[in-house]
Amino acid sequence: NSEIITSSELKSEFSHHDPAVARINNGSFGSCPASIIAAQRRHQLLFLRQPDYFVTYTLKPSILQSRRIIQALINSGDVDEISIVDNATTAAAIVLQQTAWRFFANDFHPGDAVVLLHYAYGAVKKSVEAYISRAGGHILEVHLPFPLKSNSEIISEFRKALQLGKSTGRRIRLAVIDHITSMPSVVIPVKELVTICRDEGVDRVFIDGAHAIGNVEIDVKDIGADFYTSNLYKWFFCPPSAAFLHCNTSDKLQDLHHPVVSHEYGNGLAMESSWIGTRDYSAQLVLPDVMNFVSRFQGGIEGIMQRNHGNVVEMANMLAEAWGTELGAPPEMCSSMAMVGLPARLRVESNSDALNLRKHLREGFDIEVKIYYRAPVEGEVDPVITGYVRISHQVYNVAGDYYRLRDAVKQLIGEGFECSL
């Protein structure tokens, strides 16, 4: 058993961070501790020292060990259900490529649909366009309100979208559902939506849990989707790039292939993914070291998740109170990320305003945080909150990071700053 990590050791693990920056955007790229970077370097040097030996004897057993760790973390029934890939975008390509092939083979018919959330990640939306639209499939988007008050709003909009698809005679072949949406960030009731999909005759369900592992509990048996992916580098301390794709074992899911075809083609997705040509696989091999790292925190990864959630909610409430605004979703719908309304006086009135404000906070105040623009809906009266910050909390964050953001926004208001200026 490792000893509990001290505050000075924790500081040292993240000493490579720029000390001048309030880094409250862990959600985008995650962060890798120094001890894991060192472990990754050992794997890289082992490969460079004797590449033939490493590839022949070390690589596959090491990847298998990582797959076993993931299997236990997400309660999968079989290690063969776990493939390690670069990131959730690669996992989406694997699932969508298979769906596109079904269109080309005439198993699916032109106009059959794929349903996804309007808040789906931009890269996944592009992937759906590239694979499904080009194959003749129809895309159904579920429009969700924001701010959100409860899960029932999500469930009712999702039902409506499926019924609309059915009422136009479309067969829904695949549902793509985020576990935690990126922007705006909300935890989605995935288990309930999977049940609705089963009841409504949706062929397959793919959960995009890009932000999930290390952030919320994942139990793939309980969720019951056909496919589940999550990035290991966002909230689980791995270096980029490593992610997993879980595929429920069944006959209809056998024809899954990695988009990069190499020597393992035809030996099952897990084997295909374990060798896609000569490249750096070290990010996929550090899982044993990550497990050792998280074991040094009270309560392990579960303890980390609980504290991150509690801290982000506390800081989000502090910001909302200081700015006279509100959270974008109730605390139980927040993960280790939360949406906080910005004062209407900043006049965030477009996506480019959001980007410019983010740039201004980065360059003028050394604050790294994501900004979301929410278009006003019909009937809303001024002034209405159209700008939100998405704050993250990870183990390296301190309260001062969020106070700096609070004070920067107050300063901008005091100076009469408006995004349009």
Side-chain angles (χ1 to χ4, degrees):
N1 280 345
S2 311
E3 286 180 18
I4 294 297
I5 195 164
T6 64
S7 55
S8 65
E9 285 170 332
L10 182 60
K11 212 169 178 181
S12 161
E13 284 282 14
F14 296 97
S15 59
H16 50 284
H17 285 188
D18 185 338
V21 176
R23 182 178 172 141
I24 45 185
N25 182 31
N26 190 84
S28 282
F29 302 104
S31 183
C32 186
S35 58
I36 309 301
I37 295 169
Q40 179 185 28
R41 189 71 186 133
R42 287 195 295 275
H43 288 292
Q44 289 169 332
L45 291 173
L46 270 175
F47 167 71
L48 294 169
R49 184 181 177 194
Q50 225 295 40
D52 298 86
Y53 185 92
F54 185 86
V55 169
T56 308
Y57 299 110
T58 309
L59 182 60
K60 280 184 184 156
S62 300
I63 287 180
L64 179 61
Q65 187 183 7
S66 292
R67 286 168 54 213
R68 289 196 193 284
I69 291 169
I70 295 161
Q71 180 196 357
L73 285 167
I74 66 171
N75 191 30
S76 160
D78 187 344
V79 74
D80 287 338
E81 297 180 334
I82 310 291
S83 303
I84 302 186
V85 294
D86 280 0
N87 48 46
T89 312
T90 303
I94 290 167
V95 174
L96 292 166
Q97 171 183 257
Q98 186 206 39
T99 310
W101 286 338
R102 300 292 299 276
F103 277 100
F104 293 133
N106 297 321
D107 297 340
F108 297 166
H109 306 296
D112 284 358
V114 169
V115 67
L116 77 163
L117 306 184
H118 176 61
Y119 295 148
Y121 187 58
V124 174
K125 279 189 166 180
K126 293 278 190 195
S127 205
V128 169
E129 187 187 315
Y131 286 103
I132 306 305
S133 301
R134 287 177 66 191
H138 179 78
I139 299 165
L140 274 172
E141 280 199 8
V142 183
H143 286 264
L144 300 179
F146 185 78
L148 278 156
K149 298 281 177 276
S150 72
N151 280 335
S152 59
E153 293 174 283
I154 297 171
I155 291 165
S156 113
E157 288 302 317
F158 192 77
R159 274 191 203 282
K160 258 191 254 177
L162 292 191
Q163 274 144 18
L164 174 69
K166 284 173 84 173
S167 71
T168 54
R170 296 188 189 283
R171 182 79 192 266
I172 299 174
R173 298 301 188 172
L174 178 70
V176 180
I177 303 168
D178 302 67
H179 197 158
I180 302 169
T181 53
S182 175
M183 284 288 270
S185 182
V186 185
V187 180
I188 300 290
V190 284
K191 186 184 174 182
E192 290 87 338
L193 298 193
V194 171
T195 303
I196 292 167
C197 287
R198 300 304 183 209
D199 293 345
E200 295 290 339
V202 174
D203 279 22
R204 296 174 192 184
V205 185
F206 170 47
I207 305 292
D208 176 2
H211 286 274
I213 195 165
N215 195 347
V216 291
E217 189 198 347
I218 302 172
D219 183 333
V220 290
K221 281 184 192 163
D222 186 53
I223 292 166
D226 299 291
F227 311 103
Y228 190 106
T229 186
S230 190
N231 290 316
L232 295 157
Y233 57 87
K234 280 186 188 284
W235 293 96
F236 204 65
F237 303 108
C238 283
S241 283
F244 70 85
L245 174 60
H246 171 266
C247 308
N248 256 337
T249 41
S250 77
D251 294 340
K252 66 176 182 178
L253 302 179
Q254 290 311 303
D255 191 31
L256 281 170
H257 295 283
H258 198 286
V260 179
V261 176
S262 193
H263 296 283
E264 294 289 352
Y265 181 77
N267 292 334
L269 182 64
M271 290 308 291
E272 288 185 18
S273 303
S274 72
W275 183 262
I276 53 167
T278 303
R279 49 155 297 186
D280 184 359
Y281 292 90
S282 58
Q284 305 179 4
L285 309 182
V286 296
L287 267 292
D289 306 279
V290 171
M291 295 307 288
N292 189 43
F293 175 75
V294 300
S295 76
R296 300 192 61 203
F297 290 80
Q298 195 82 46
I301 192 62
E302 290 82 6
I304 290 171
M305 293 193 298
Q306 284 165 12
R307 286 187 295 277
N308 280 338
H309 170 73
N311 289 333
V312 87
V313 168
E314 185 188 340
M315 291 297 110
N317 283 323
M318 178 275 294
L319 291 172
E321 196 177 318
W323 297 337
T325 63
E326 60 183 18
L327 270 60
E332 64 273 15
M333 294 178 77
C334 301
S335 55
S336 303
M337 299 185 285
M339 304 295 295
V340 187
L342 284 162
R345 283 162 61 192
L346 289 176
R347 301 190 74 83
V348 179
E349 292 173 353
S350 65
N351 288 322
S352 63
D353 282 350
L355 282 171
N356 286 335
L357 179 56
R358 182 179 181 186
K359 186 174 177 226
H360 191 61
L361 288 168
R362 177 190 293 137
E363 293 175 1
F365 297 91
D366 286 324
I367 297 167
E368 196 58 71
V369 69
K370 286 199 88 161
I371 313 280
Y372 175 67
Y373 164 66
R374 176 192 77 90
V377 288
E378 216 176 312
E380 281 186 334
V381 281
D382 260 0
V384 66
I385 297 171
T386 54
Y388 287 79
V389 288
R390 184 191 82 182
I391 59 168
S392 294
H393 193 287
Q394 186 49 291
V395 295
Y396 56 79
N397 284 118
V398 293
D401 297 334
Y402 307 89
Y403 297 145
R404 195 194 300 187
L405 174 62
R406 174 196 66 190
D407 297 343
V409 168
K410 281 185 150 180
Q411 184 184 321
L412 292 175
I413 295 289
E415 291 168 355
F417 175 92
E418 290 180 10
C419 285
S420 55
L421 304 174

